[in-house]
Amino acid sequence: WRAELTPEQYEVTRNHGTERPYSGALLNEARKGVYHCVCCEQPLFYSDQKFESHCGWPSFDACSDDAIKYVKDSSHGMIRTEILCSQCDAHLGHIFDDGPTNTGKRYCVNSVSLTFRSMENTD
């Protein structure tokens, strides 16, 4: 993985790190498209699942079917649910039950764990 990822991508996805809030390139991405795992390219989230949460990381209210693995995380003195890519176990972020949409979910995701492919016409 070290040969395929940037140092920051490696730190976040393989060592369960976190990028600085409001620093991610995909935080303000507003085009229609699909967010993929940076490690294995599995589709994880769609643009219509994204919402502005003002937390500093891209947030989604749902994910692609069977794309996410959920793991109890008791690090840093907190009890949270970590989200991993179900295909390659890349650390993506965490899920919280405080989302403002009808799902009530907030998938809080590190930008560096994602790649984005636009579905907009670029002619």
Side-chain angles (χ1 to χ4, degrees):
W1 290 114
R2 283 191 192 275
E4 297 178 29
L5 301 170
T6 68
E8 187 178 24
Q9 289 169 332
Y10 183 86
E11 177 58 28
V12 169
T13 62
R14 306 328 303 176
N15 290 332
H16 305 263
T18 302
E19 68 188 357
R20 286 185 351 267
Y22 299 100
S23 68
L26 297 175
L27 177 62
N28 296 313
E29 178 60 63
R31 294 175 292 167
K32 184 176 180 177
V34 181
Y35 296 84
H36 296 258
C37 175
V38 73
C39 296
C40 71
E41 296 297 322
Q42 174 175 230
L44 300 170
F45 304 99
Y46 293 91
S47 56
D48 63 352
Q49 297 166 323
K50 189 175 184 201
F51 65 93
E52 178 54 61
S53 66
H54 305 286
C55 72
W57 295 276
S59 296
F60 303 87
D61 67 358
C63 64
S64 298
D65 291 340
D66 301 319
I68 303 293
K69 191 185 313 183
Y70 303 89
V71 177
K72 182 180 178 179
D73 176 4
S74 56
S75 64
H76 306 292
M78 297 178 273
I79 297 176
R80 304 176 289 176
T81 302
E82 179 183 14
I83 54 174
L84 306 172
C85 173
S86 66
Q87 187 165 284
C88 72
D89 290 332
H91 170 74
L92 304 171
H94 293 86
I95 185 172
F96 301 97
D97 290 323
D98 61 3
T101 70
N102 63 354
T103 70
K105 302 293 182 194
R106 176 172 56 97
Y107 290 79
C108 184
V109 184
N110 292 284
S111 277
V112 297
S113 69
L114 302 172
T115 59
F116 177 76
R117 293 208 183 100
S118 177
M119 293 170 54
E120 291 185 354
N121 186 353
T122 57
D123 292 342

